[in-house]
Amino acid sequence: MAAEPAKVDPMYQFTIEPLAGSGGWELAGYNIAFTNSAMWMAITVVVLFAFVLGGMKRELVPGRWQMMVEFFTGFIDNMLEANIGKAGRKYVPYVFSLFMFILFANILGLLPLGVIGIHPFTFTSHFTITGVLAIISFSIVLIVGFWKHGLHFFSLFVPHGTPLPMIPVIAPIEFISFMVRPFSLGLRLFVAMMAGHVLLEVLSSFVIDGTNAGATFGLIVGLPSFILMVGICALELLVAGIQAYVFALLTALYINDAENLH
Amino acid sequence: MPQIAQLAETWSSQIFWLLVFFGITFFVIGRGMVPKVMDTVAQRDGQIAADLAAAKAARDAADEQEEAWRVRENENRAAAQAIVAKAKDDGAAKSEAKLKAAQTRLDKKLAEAEARIEEARTAALTEVEAVATEAAQDIVARLAGFTVTRPTASKAVKEAMAHG
């Protein structure tokens, strides 16, 4: 009798499950079950807190850990100063939180903890999460824009130096591209994270199924897939950093539009 | 795709917990810890800048002092050279005066000696004259047998001597 073929569902890793009977928790009629997704958000916060805490020794001559934390704060600070200018400094707490939260979530979700029975959950591969983060960033842009410039903020839709007859054509295009921003911002991260995880899962299913199908298939299909997985894991680590960076960078650029109109 | 399949049942919990945990991240880490970390960096940058400024000030002060020392050194050297030149002049003048005094003394001695020699010669000549006069008187007395007076003899001797 042939062995039961292993079923690997590449999408199963994104399933959200309530933990420890919290499925019925409700707040004002809405379900707020403490799911595995929420669990990994909590882990991300704890790890990030521990990381930044290590940089709080406030030594004049920093140690390695403090250097690392200061590297990240300096990185965000420089990015905001380069894109927004001096006024960008007040956004450092938000953009730093955003960047580090996404970065740590992406990297924690990639950790090979499955081998010891803990299944990492990458909550940034859910558009409910990335969408909310994008909407927060977009709201900040809108609030800052209207707060600083009032209705003059609408001149954002008329790029500098547009000839008068072109305004009726350009303005709607600019408006649409502006309104698309939160979607592109949220979807980019969600798609990048999900695609990477699906790819890894599909390749791992090749390894498992190929090996189960016999030594020949294992050598022809399983081994190349496994080598490819190693490479793609490295690529995914890169993507984890890049996507967090892109999210933070685009947020900074959008805030720049609001802060320095044109 | 669970993201869509589970959307209806999970969206509220996803959003709720995201807001809770991202809120913690923002308020505790972003607002609470990051400014302190950046403060440390700013403090360090300030300290480095202050140290550099202090070092620069110290170097400038050292340069200034070296310049002042150089000026003083040049002054001292000039003063020393003046003293040396003055001492040389003084010495020259003193030795010149001494030489002059010695010369004068020598001249005086020479003149005295010459005078003494002259005197001695005159005395000798007078004595020779006297001897010659006596000898002339004697010769005349013995040869001619008459005596000539002393002034006559003396006159004759003088004439003879004058003619050589």
Side-chain angles (χ1 to χ4, degrees), chain A residues 11 15-16 31-34 37-38 41-42 45 53 58-60 70 77 89 92-94 96-97 101 125-126 128-129 132 194, chain B residues 1-4 6-7 10-18 21-22 24-26 28-30 33-34 36-41 44:
Chain A
M11 299 316 273
T15 310
I16 297 170
N31 180 287
I32 54 160
F34 193 79
S37 174
M41 290 181 214
V45 171
L53 194 67
R58 318 208 63 177
E59 282 166 14
L60 196 61
E70 283 172 6
D77 190 30
R89 290 213 94 167
V92 168
Y94 172 68
F96 180 84
S97 307
F101 191 67
S125 64
H126 276 252
T128 37
I129 302 296
V132 170
M194 193 190 76
Chain B
M1 201 160 141
Q3 285 96 330
I4 293 168
Q6 290 186 305
L7 186 61
T10 61
W11 68 270
S12 53
S13 98
Q14 287 277 74
I15 292 172
F16 174 77
W17 290 111
L18 176 69
F21 288 117
F22 188 69
I24 293 172
T25 306
F26 177 65
V28 175
I29 297 172
M33 297 162 90
V34 169
K36 285 184 185 140
V37 172
M38 289 178 66
D39 216 40
T40 311
V41 176
R44 182 179 318 124

Short mmCIF file of all heavy atoms in Angstrom, two decimals, chain A residues 11 15-16 31-34 37-38 41-42 45 53 58-60 70 77 89 92-94 96-97 101 125-126 128-129 132 194, chain B residues 1-4 6-7 10-18 21-22 24-26 28-30 33-34 36-41 44:
data_model
loop_
_atom_site.label_atom_id
_atom_site.label_comp_id
_atom_site.label_asym_id
_atom_site.label_seq_id
_atom_site.Cartn_x
_atom_site.Cartn_y
_atom_site.Cartn_z
N MET A 11 -1.56 27.78 1.54
CA MET A 11 -2.28 28.91 2.11
C MET A 11 -2.61 28.69 3.59
O MET A 11 -3.02 29.62 4.27
CB MET A 11 -3.60 29.15 1.33
CG MET A 11 -3.39 29.48 -0.12
SD MET A 11 -2.09 30.67 -0.38
CE MET A 11 -3.03 32.16 -0.21
N THR A 15 -3.86 31.01 7.96
CA THR A 15 -5.12 30.84 8.68
C THR A 15 -5.03 31.48 10.06
O THR A 15 -4.03 31.34 10.77
CB THR A 15 -5.43 29.34 8.84
OG1 THR A 15 -5.31 28.73 7.57
CG2 THR A 15 -6.84 29.15 9.38
N ILE A 16 -6.09 32.18 10.42
CA ILE A 16 -6.15 32.80 11.74
C ILE A 16 -6.99 31.93 12.65
O ILE A 16 -8.09 31.51 12.29
CB ILE A 16 -6.75 34.22 11.64
CG1 ILE A 16 -5.86 35.10 10.79
CG2 ILE A 16 -6.95 34.82 13.01
CD1 ILE A 16 -6.48 36.42 10.44
N ASN A 31 -16.16 40.97 17.38
CA ASN A 31 -15.32 39.89 17.86
C ASN A 31 -13.89 40.37 18.00
O ASN A 31 -13.32 40.96 17.09
CB ASN A 31 -15.39 38.73 16.85
CG ASN A 31 -14.53 37.56 17.30
OD1 ASN A 31 -13.32 37.64 17.22
ND2 ASN A 31 -15.16 36.52 17.76
N ILE A 32 -13.30 40.15 19.19
CA ILE A 32 -11.90 40.52 19.37
C ILE A 32 -11.11 39.33 19.92
O ILE A 32 -10.32 39.46 20.85
CB ILE A 32 -11.73 41.74 20.30
CG1 ILE A 32 -12.45 41.49 21.63
CG2 ILE A 32 -12.22 43.00 19.65
CD1 ILE A 32 -11.94 42.40 22.73
N ALA A 33 -11.32 38.17 19.30
CA ALA A 33 -10.62 36.98 19.75
C ALA A 33 -9.11 37.20 19.71
O ALA A 33 -8.58 37.82 18.78
CB ALA A 33 -10.99 35.82 18.84
N PHE A 34 -8.42 36.71 20.75
CA PHE A 34 -6.96 36.80 20.77
C PHE A 34 -6.43 35.65 19.91
O PHE A 34 -6.33 34.52 20.36
CB PHE A 34 -6.43 36.71 22.19
CG PHE A 34 -4.99 37.09 22.29
CD1 PHE A 34 -4.62 38.43 22.30
CD2 PHE A 34 -3.99 36.13 22.36
CE1 PHE A 34 -3.30 38.80 22.39
CE2 PHE A 34 -2.66 36.50 22.43
CZ PHE A 34 -2.32 37.84 22.45
N SER A 37 -2.56 35.55 15.20
CA SER A 37 -2.09 36.81 14.62
C SER A 37 -1.80 37.82 15.73
O SER A 37 -0.72 38.43 15.77
CB SER A 37 -3.16 37.35 13.67
OG SER A 37 -2.81 38.62 13.21
N ALA A 38 -2.74 37.98 16.65
CA ALA A 38 -2.55 38.92 17.77
C ALA A 38 -1.37 38.48 18.63
O ALA A 38 -0.59 39.31 19.12
CB ALA A 38 -3.82 38.99 18.60
N MET A 41 1.71 39.61 17.06
CA MET A 41 1.87 41.06 17.25
C MET A 41 2.46 41.33 18.63
O MET A 41 3.37 42.15 18.80
CB MET A 41 0.52 41.77 17.14
CG MET A 41 -0.06 41.79 15.76
SD MET A 41 -1.62 42.67 15.79
CE MET A 41 -2.54 41.79 14.58
N ALA A 42 1.92 40.60 19.62
CA ALA A 42 2.43 40.78 20.99
C ALA A 42 3.90 40.40 21.06
O ALA A 42 4.71 41.12 21.66
CB ALA A 42 1.61 39.92 21.95
N VAL A 45 6.01 43.09 19.58
CA VAL A 45 6.14 44.23 20.47
C VAL A 45 7.16 43.92 21.57
O VAL A 45 8.03 44.75 21.88
CB VAL A 45 4.78 44.63 21.08
CG1 VAL A 45 4.97 45.67 22.17
CG2 VAL A 45 3.87 45.16 20.01
N LEU A 53 15.20 48.52 24.37
CA LEU A 53 15.63 48.66 25.78
C LEU A 53 17.14 48.48 25.89
O LEU A 53 17.81 49.15 26.68
CB LEU A 53 14.90 47.63 26.64
CG LEU A 53 14.99 47.85 28.15
CD1 LEU A 53 14.23 49.12 28.52
CD2 LEU A 53 14.46 46.67 28.90
N ARG A 58 22.31 54.56 27.46
CA ARG A 58 22.68 55.97 27.43
C ARG A 58 24.15 56.19 27.75
O ARG A 58 24.52 57.12 28.44
CB ARG A 58 21.83 56.77 28.42
CG ARG A 58 20.39 56.36 28.43
CD ARG A 58 19.51 57.49 28.83
NE ARG A 58 19.60 58.57 27.88
CZ ARG A 58 18.87 59.66 27.97
NH1 ARG A 58 18.07 59.85 28.97
NH2 ARG A 58 18.99 60.61 27.08
N GLU A 59 24.98 55.27 27.24
CA GLU A 59 26.41 55.45 27.48
C GLU A 59 27.00 56.40 26.45
O GLU A 59 26.56 56.44 25.31
CB GLU A 59 27.12 54.09 27.38
CG GLU A 59 26.94 53.25 28.62
CD GLU A 59 27.36 51.82 28.37
OE1 GLU A 59 28.00 51.56 27.36
OE2 GLU A 59 27.01 50.98 29.23
N LEU A 60 28.01 57.13 26.89
CA LEU A 60 28.65 58.08 25.99
C LEU A 60 29.39 57.33 24.89
O LEU A 60 29.36 57.70 23.73
CB LEU A 60 29.62 58.96 26.77
CG LEU A 60 30.05 60.22 26.05
CD1 LEU A 60 28.83 61.09 25.77
CD2 LEU A 60 31.05 60.98 26.87
N GLU A 70 20.96 52.72 17.95
CA GLU A 70 21.20 54.09 17.48
C GLU A 70 21.32 54.14 15.97
O GLU A 70 20.98 55.14 15.35
CB GLU A 70 22.46 54.65 18.14
CG GLU A 70 22.20 55.06 19.57
CD GLU A 70 23.48 55.42 20.30
OE1 GLU A 70 24.54 55.47 19.67
OE2 GLU A 70 23.39 55.67 21.52
N ASP A 77 15.90 58.88 11.32
CA ASP A 77 16.08 60.33 11.47
C ASP A 77 16.64 60.91 10.18
O ASP A 77 16.13 61.92 9.66
CB ASP A 77 17.02 60.59 12.65
CG ASP A 77 17.07 62.05 13.01
OD1 ASP A 77 16.05 62.73 12.80
OD2 ASP A 77 18.11 62.51 13.49
N ARG A 89 11.66 65.79 11.91
CA ARG A 89 12.09 65.17 13.17
C ARG A 89 10.92 64.76 14.05
O ARG A 89 11.01 63.78 14.77
CB ARG A 89 12.97 66.14 13.96
CG ARG A 89 14.31 66.35 13.32
CD ARG A 89 15.35 66.59 14.35
NE ARG A 89 16.00 65.34 14.70
CZ ARG A 89 17.12 65.29 15.40
NH1 ARG A 89 17.68 66.39 15.82
NH2 ARG A 89 17.68 64.15 15.69
N VAL A 92 9.68 61.19 13.71
CA VAL A 92 10.58 60.05 13.98
C VAL A 92 9.90 58.99 14.84
O VAL A 92 9.96 57.80 14.49
CB VAL A 92 11.90 60.53 14.62
CG1 VAL A 92 12.69 59.35 15.15
CG2 VAL A 92 12.74 61.28 13.60
N PRO A 93 9.22 59.33 15.94
CA PRO A 93 8.59 58.27 16.73
C PRO A 93 7.63 57.42 15.91
O PRO A 93 7.66 56.19 15.99
CB PRO A 93 7.84 59.04 17.83
CG PRO A 93 8.60 60.29 17.97
CD PRO A 93 9.09 60.64 16.60
N TYR A 94 6.78 58.07 15.08
CA TYR A 94 5.81 57.30 14.31
C TYR A 94 6.49 56.44 13.26
O TYR A 94 6.26 55.23 13.18
CB TYR A 94 4.78 58.22 13.65
CG TYR A 94 3.89 57.47 12.69
CD1 TYR A 94 2.98 56.53 13.19
CD2 TYR A 94 3.99 57.62 11.32
CE1 TYR A 94 2.19 55.79 12.34
CE2 TYR A 94 3.20 56.89 10.46
CZ TYR A 94 2.29 55.97 10.97
OH TYR A 94 1.52 55.24 10.13
N PHE A 96 9.58 55.52 13.04
CA PHE A 96 10.42 54.49 13.66
C PHE A 96 9.56 53.31 14.11
O PHE A 96 9.88 52.15 13.83
CB PHE A 96 11.18 55.07 14.85
CG PHE A 96 12.07 54.08 15.55
CD1 PHE A 96 13.35 53.83 15.09
CD2 PHE A 96 11.62 53.38 16.66
CE1 PHE A 96 14.17 52.91 15.71
CE2 PHE A 96 12.43 52.46 17.30
CZ PHE A 96 13.71 52.23 16.82
N SER A 97 8.45 53.61 14.80
CA SER A 97 7.56 52.53 15.25
C SER A 97 7.08 51.72 14.07
O SER A 97 7.09 50.48 14.09
CB SER A 97 6.35 53.12 15.98
OG SER A 97 6.76 53.98 17.00
N PHE A 101 8.23 47.95 13.63
CA PHE A 101 7.13 47.01 13.83
C PHE A 101 7.01 46.10 12.62
O PHE A 101 6.94 44.86 12.75
CB PHE A 101 5.84 47.81 14.04
CG PHE A 101 4.68 47.00 14.52
CD1 PHE A 101 4.68 46.42 15.78
CD2 PHE A 101 3.55 46.85 13.72
CE1 PHE A 101 3.59 45.69 16.23
CE2 PHE A 101 2.46 46.12 14.16
CZ PHE A 101 2.49 45.54 15.41
N SER A 125 1.27 39.62 6.35
CA SER A 125 0.78 39.03 5.12
C SER A 125 -0.75 39.06 5.08
O SER A 125 -1.37 38.35 4.30
CB SER A 125 1.29 37.60 4.98
OG SER A 125 0.76 36.82 6.02
N HIS A 126 -1.34 39.88 5.97
CA HIS A 126 -2.80 40.05 5.96
C HIS A 126 -3.14 41.48 5.61
O HIS A 126 -2.61 42.41 6.24
CB HIS A 126 -3.38 39.70 7.33
CG HIS A 126 -3.60 38.24 7.50
ND1 HIS A 126 -4.84 37.67 7.51
CD2 HIS A 126 -2.73 37.22 7.62
CE1 HIS A 126 -4.73 36.37 7.65
NE2 HIS A 126 -3.44 36.07 7.72
N THR A 128 -5.72 43.05 6.14
CA THR A 128 -6.40 43.79 7.20
C THR A 128 -5.38 44.58 8.02
O THR A 128 -5.64 45.70 8.45
CB THR A 128 -7.15 42.83 8.14
OG1 THR A 128 -6.38 41.65 8.30
CG2 THR A 128 -8.50 42.48 7.58
N ILE A 129 -4.21 43.98 8.23
CA ILE A 129 -3.17 44.63 9.02
C ILE A 129 -2.48 45.73 8.22
O ILE A 129 -2.43 46.89 8.64
CB ILE A 129 -2.11 43.58 9.46
CG1 ILE A 129 -2.76 42.46 10.26
CG2 ILE A 129 -0.98 44.25 10.22
CD1 ILE A 129 -3.36 42.89 11.55
N VAL A 132 -4.69 48.68 7.59
CA VAL A 132 -4.87 49.61 8.70
C VAL A 132 -3.64 50.49 8.87
O VAL A 132 -3.75 51.70 9.07
CB VAL A 132 -5.18 48.83 10.01
CG1 VAL A 132 -5.12 49.76 11.20
CG2 VAL A 132 -6.54 48.19 9.91
N MET A 194 3.10 37.83 1.40
CA MET A 194 2.36 36.61 1.13
C MET A 194 3.03 35.82 0.02
O MET A 194 3.19 34.61 0.13
CB MET A 194 0.93 36.96 0.73
CG MET A 194 0.04 35.73 0.75
SD MET A 194 -1.55 36.04 0.04
CE MET A 194 -1.17 36.05 -1.68
N MET B 1 -7.67 31.27 0.13
CA MET B 1 -6.90 32.38 0.67
C MET B 1 -7.54 32.86 1.98
O MET B 1 -8.56 33.55 1.96
CB MET B 1 -6.91 33.53 -0.37
CG MET B 1 -5.77 34.49 -0.18
SD MET B 1 -5.50 35.40 -1.71
CE MET B 1 -5.15 37.01 -1.05
N PRO B 2 -6.97 32.48 3.09
CA PRO B 2 -7.61 32.78 4.39
C PRO B 2 -7.80 34.28 4.62
O PRO B 2 -8.72 34.66 5.34
CB PRO B 2 -6.62 32.21 5.42
CG PRO B 2 -5.75 31.28 4.65
CD PRO B 2 -5.71 31.78 3.25
N GLN B 3 -6.94 35.08 4.01
CA GLN B 3 -7.07 36.53 4.20
C GLN B 3 -8.47 36.99 3.79
O GLN B 3 -9.04 37.89 4.40
CB GLN B 3 -6.04 37.29 3.35
CG GLN B 3 -4.64 37.21 3.91
CD GLN B 3 -3.84 36.11 3.27
OE1 GLN B 3 -4.39 35.08 2.85
NE2 GLN B 3 -2.53 36.29 3.23
N ILE B 4 -9.00 36.37 2.71
CA ILE B 4 -10.33 36.77 2.23
C ILE B 4 -11.39 35.86 2.83
O ILE B 4 -12.43 36.31 3.30
CB ILE B 4 -10.37 36.72 0.70
CG1 ILE B 4 -9.44 37.81 0.13
CG2 ILE B 4 -11.79 36.93 0.19
CD1 ILE B 4 -9.18 37.69 -1.35
N GLN B 6 -11.49 34.34 5.63
CA GLN B 6 -11.78 34.56 7.05
C GLN B 6 -12.07 36.02 7.36
O GLN B 6 -12.15 36.39 8.52
CB GLN B 6 -10.57 34.12 7.88
CG GLN B 6 -10.35 32.62 7.90
CD GLN B 6 -9.24 32.27 8.84
OE1 GLN B 6 -8.14 32.79 8.71
NE2 GLN B 6 -9.52 31.41 9.79
N LEU B 7 -12.16 36.82 6.28
CA LEU B 7 -12.25 38.26 6.51
C LEU B 7 -13.41 38.63 7.42
O LEU B 7 -13.25 39.37 8.40
CB LEU B 7 -12.38 38.99 5.16
CG LEU B 7 -12.35 40.50 5.22
CD1 LEU B 7 -11.03 40.97 5.81
CD2 LEU B 7 -12.55 41.09 3.84
N THR B 10 -12.73 37.65 11.12
CA THR B 10 -11.51 38.05 11.84
C THR B 10 -11.17 39.53 11.73
O THR B 10 -10.30 40.00 12.46
CB THR B 10 -10.28 37.27 11.31
OG1 THR B 10 -10.11 37.58 9.94
CG2 THR B 10 -10.45 35.80 11.51
N TRP B 11 -11.81 40.28 10.84
CA TRP B 11 -11.33 41.65 10.61
C TRP B 11 -11.36 42.47 11.88
O TRP B 11 -10.43 43.24 12.17
CB TRP B 11 -12.10 42.34 9.48
CG TRP B 11 -13.55 42.64 9.80
CD1 TRP B 11 -14.60 41.83 9.58
CD2 TRP B 11 -14.05 43.82 10.42
NE1 TRP B 11 -15.75 42.40 10.01
CE2 TRP B 11 -15.45 43.64 10.53
CE3 TRP B 11 -13.48 45.00 10.88
CZ2 TRP B 11 -16.26 44.61 11.10
CZ3 TRP B 11 -14.32 45.96 11.44
CH2 TRP B 11 -15.68 45.76 11.55
N SER B 12 -12.42 42.30 12.70
CA SER B 12 -12.51 43.16 13.88
C SER B 12 -11.41 42.83 14.88
O SER B 12 -10.77 43.73 15.43
CB SER B 12 -13.89 42.99 14.53
OG SER B 12 -14.14 41.62 14.76
N SER B 13 -11.13 41.55 15.05
CA SER B 13 -10.08 41.21 16.02
C SER B 13 -8.71 41.62 15.49
O SER B 13 -7.86 42.11 16.23
CB SER B 13 -10.12 39.71 16.33
OG SER B 13 -9.18 39.00 15.58
N GLN B 14 -8.52 41.45 14.17
CA GLN B 14 -7.24 41.86 13.58
C GLN B 14 -7.00 43.35 13.82
O GLN B 14 -5.93 43.76 14.29
CB GLN B 14 -7.25 41.61 12.06
CG GLN B 14 -7.16 40.16 11.66
CD GLN B 14 -5.71 39.69 11.66
OE1 GLN B 14 -5.14 39.49 12.72
NE2 GLN B 14 -5.15 39.52 10.49
N ILE B 15 -8.01 44.15 13.49
CA ILE B 15 -7.84 45.60 13.61
C ILE B 15 -7.68 45.99 15.07
O ILE B 15 -6.81 46.78 15.44
CB ILE B 15 -9.04 46.33 12.95
CG1 ILE B 15 -9.00 46.12 11.44
CG2 ILE B 15 -9.03 47.81 13.29
CD1 ILE B 15 -10.22 46.62 10.72
N PHE B 16 -8.51 45.37 15.94
CA PHE B 16 -8.45 45.71 17.36
C PHE B 16 -7.06 45.43 17.92
O PHE B 16 -6.43 46.30 18.53
CB PHE B 16 -9.50 44.91 18.13
CG PHE B 16 -9.39 45.10 19.61
CD1 PHE B 16 -9.87 46.27 20.21
CD2 PHE B 16 -8.81 44.12 20.42
CE1 PHE B 16 -9.76 46.44 21.57
CE2 PHE B 16 -8.70 44.30 21.79
CZ PHE B 16 -9.17 45.47 22.37
N TRP B 17 -6.55 44.24 17.71
CA TRP B 17 -5.26 43.88 18.30
C TRP B 17 -4.11 44.64 17.64
O TRP B 17 -3.13 44.98 18.30
CB TRP B 17 -5.01 42.37 18.24
CG TRP B 17 -5.93 41.65 19.18
CD1 TRP B 17 -6.95 40.83 18.84
CD2 TRP B 17 -5.90 41.72 20.61
NE1 TRP B 17 -7.59 40.37 19.96
CE2 TRP B 17 -6.97 40.90 21.08
CE3 TRP B 17 -5.13 42.38 21.55
CZ2 TRP B 17 -7.25 40.73 22.43
CZ3 TRP B 17 -5.40 42.21 22.89
CH2 TRP B 17 -6.46 41.40 23.32
N LEU B 18 -4.27 44.93 16.35
CA LEU B 18 -3.23 45.74 15.70
C LEU B 18 -3.17 47.11 16.35
O LEU B 18 -2.08 47.60 16.68
CB LEU B 18 -3.50 45.89 14.20
CG LEU B 18 -2.47 46.82 13.54
CD1 LEU B 18 -1.10 46.18 13.52
CD2 LEU B 18 -2.89 47.21 12.13
N PHE B 21 -1.54 46.75 19.81
CA PHE B 21 -0.10 46.49 19.86
C PHE B 21 0.71 47.56 19.13
O PHE B 21 1.79 47.92 19.57
CB PHE B 21 0.22 45.09 19.33
CG PHE B 21 -0.22 44.03 20.28
CD1 PHE B 21 -1.19 43.10 19.94
CD2 PHE B 21 0.33 43.97 21.55
CE1 PHE B 21 -1.61 42.14 20.84
CE2 PHE B 21 -0.08 43.00 22.45
CZ PHE B 21 -1.05 42.09 22.10
N PHE B 22 0.15 48.08 18.02
CA PHE B 22 0.89 49.16 17.37
C PHE B 22 0.83 50.42 18.24
O PHE B 22 1.80 51.19 18.30
CB PHE B 22 0.32 49.45 15.97
CG PHE B 22 1.16 50.42 15.21
CD1 PHE B 22 2.42 50.05 14.76
CD2 PHE B 22 0.72 51.71 14.96
CE1 PHE B 22 3.22 50.94 14.07
CE2 PHE B 22 1.52 52.61 14.28
CZ PHE B 22 2.77 52.22 13.83
N ILE B 24 0.84 50.37 21.51
CA ILE B 24 1.89 50.17 22.53
C ILE B 24 3.25 50.50 21.92
O ILE B 24 4.06 51.22 22.51
CB ILE B 24 1.87 48.71 23.05
CG1 ILE B 24 0.58 48.45 23.84
CG2 ILE B 24 3.09 48.44 23.91
CD1 ILE B 24 0.38 47.00 24.22
N THR B 25 3.46 49.98 20.70
CA THR B 25 4.75 50.25 20.04
C THR B 25 4.97 51.75 19.91
O THR B 25 6.05 52.26 20.24
CB THR B 25 4.76 49.61 18.64
OG1 THR B 25 4.44 48.24 18.76
CG2 THR B 25 6.11 49.76 17.99
N PHE B 26 3.94 52.46 19.44
CA PHE B 26 4.11 53.89 19.19
C PHE B 26 4.30 54.66 20.49
O PHE B 26 5.25 55.43 20.63
CB PHE B 26 2.88 54.41 18.43
CG PHE B 26 2.92 55.90 18.20
CD1 PHE B 26 3.91 56.45 17.39
CD2 PHE B 26 2.00 56.73 18.79
CE1 PHE B 26 3.97 57.82 17.17
CE2 PHE B 26 2.05 58.09 18.58
CZ PHE B 26 3.02 58.64 17.77
N VAL B 28 4.86 53.57 23.74
CA VAL B 28 5.91 53.16 24.68
C VAL B 28 7.29 53.26 24.03
O VAL B 28 8.20 53.87 24.57
CB VAL B 28 5.65 51.73 25.19
CG1 VAL B 28 6.80 51.28 26.07
CG2 VAL B 28 4.33 51.69 25.96
N ILE B 29 7.39 52.66 22.83
CA ILE B 29 8.73 52.60 22.21
C ILE B 29 9.00 53.89 21.43
O ILE B 29 10.00 54.57 21.64
CB ILE B 29 8.85 51.36 21.31
CG1 ILE B 29 8.72 50.10 22.17
CG2 ILE B 29 10.17 51.36 20.56
CD1 ILE B 29 8.63 48.82 21.41
N GLY B 30 8.05 54.22 20.53
CA GLY B 30 8.28 55.38 19.67
C GLY B 30 8.36 56.69 20.43
O GLY B 30 9.28 57.48 20.24
N MET B 33 10.80 55.72 24.26
CA MET B 33 12.20 55.27 24.29
C MET B 33 13.04 55.90 23.20
O MET B 33 14.20 56.25 23.43
CB MET B 33 12.24 53.74 24.17
CG MET B 33 11.56 53.05 25.34
SD MET B 33 11.15 51.35 24.97
CE MET B 33 12.62 50.55 25.51
N VAL B 34 12.47 56.03 21.99
CA VAL B 34 13.27 56.54 20.87
C VAL B 34 13.83 57.94 21.14
O VAL B 34 15.01 58.18 20.90
CB VAL B 34 12.44 56.49 19.56
CG1 VAL B 34 13.14 57.24 18.45
CG2 VAL B 34 12.23 55.04 19.15
N LYS B 36 14.75 59.22 23.85
CA LYS B 36 15.88 59.11 24.77
C LYS B 36 17.13 58.60 24.05
O LYS B 36 18.23 59.09 24.28
CB LYS B 36 15.53 58.17 25.93
CG LYS B 36 14.58 58.85 26.90
CD LYS B 36 14.29 57.97 28.09
CE LYS B 36 13.25 58.65 28.97
NZ LYS B 36 12.28 57.70 29.50
N VAL B 37 16.91 57.61 23.18
CA VAL B 37 18.05 57.09 22.41
C VAL B 37 18.64 58.21 21.56
O VAL B 37 19.86 58.42 21.52
CB VAL B 37 17.60 55.91 21.52
CG1 VAL B 37 18.72 55.50 20.58
CG2 VAL B 37 17.16 54.73 22.37
N MET B 38 17.75 58.98 20.89
CA MET B 38 18.24 60.05 20.03
C MET B 38 18.89 61.16 20.84
O MET B 38 19.82 61.81 20.37
CB MET B 38 17.09 60.60 19.19
CG MET B 38 16.66 59.60 18.13
SD MET B 38 15.29 60.17 17.17
CE MET B 38 16.04 61.53 16.34
N ASP B 39 18.37 61.34 22.04
CA ASP B 39 18.95 62.32 22.95
C ASP B 39 20.39 61.96 23.26
O ASP B 39 21.28 62.82 23.26
CB ASP B 39 18.13 62.34 24.24
CG ASP B 39 18.03 63.72 24.80
OD1 ASP B 39 17.87 64.65 23.99
OD2 ASP B 39 18.12 63.87 26.03
N THR B 40 20.59 60.66 23.53
CA THR B 40 21.96 60.19 23.82
C THR B 40 22.87 60.48 22.64
O THR B 40 23.99 60.96 22.81
CB THR B 40 21.94 58.67 24.10
OG1 THR B 40 20.90 58.41 25.03
CG2 THR B 40 23.26 58.20 24.63
N VAL B 41 22.35 60.19 21.44
CA VAL B 41 23.17 60.44 20.24
C VAL B 41 23.49 61.92 20.13
O VAL B 41 24.65 62.30 19.90
CB VAL B 41 22.41 59.95 18.98
CG1 VAL B 41 23.21 60.30 17.73
CG2 VAL B 41 22.18 58.46 19.04
N ARG B 44 26.03 62.91 22.63
CA ARG B 44 27.38 62.46 22.24
C ARG B 44 27.93 63.38 21.16
O ARG B 44 29.07 63.79 21.21
CB ARG B 44 27.32 61.02 21.74
CG ARG B 44 28.70 60.51 21.36
CD ARG B 44 28.67 59.08 20.88
NE ARG B 44 27.80 58.26 21.69
CZ ARG B 44 26.81 57.55 21.21
NH1 ARG B 44 26.55 57.55 19.93
NH2 ARG B 44 26.06 56.82 22.01
#
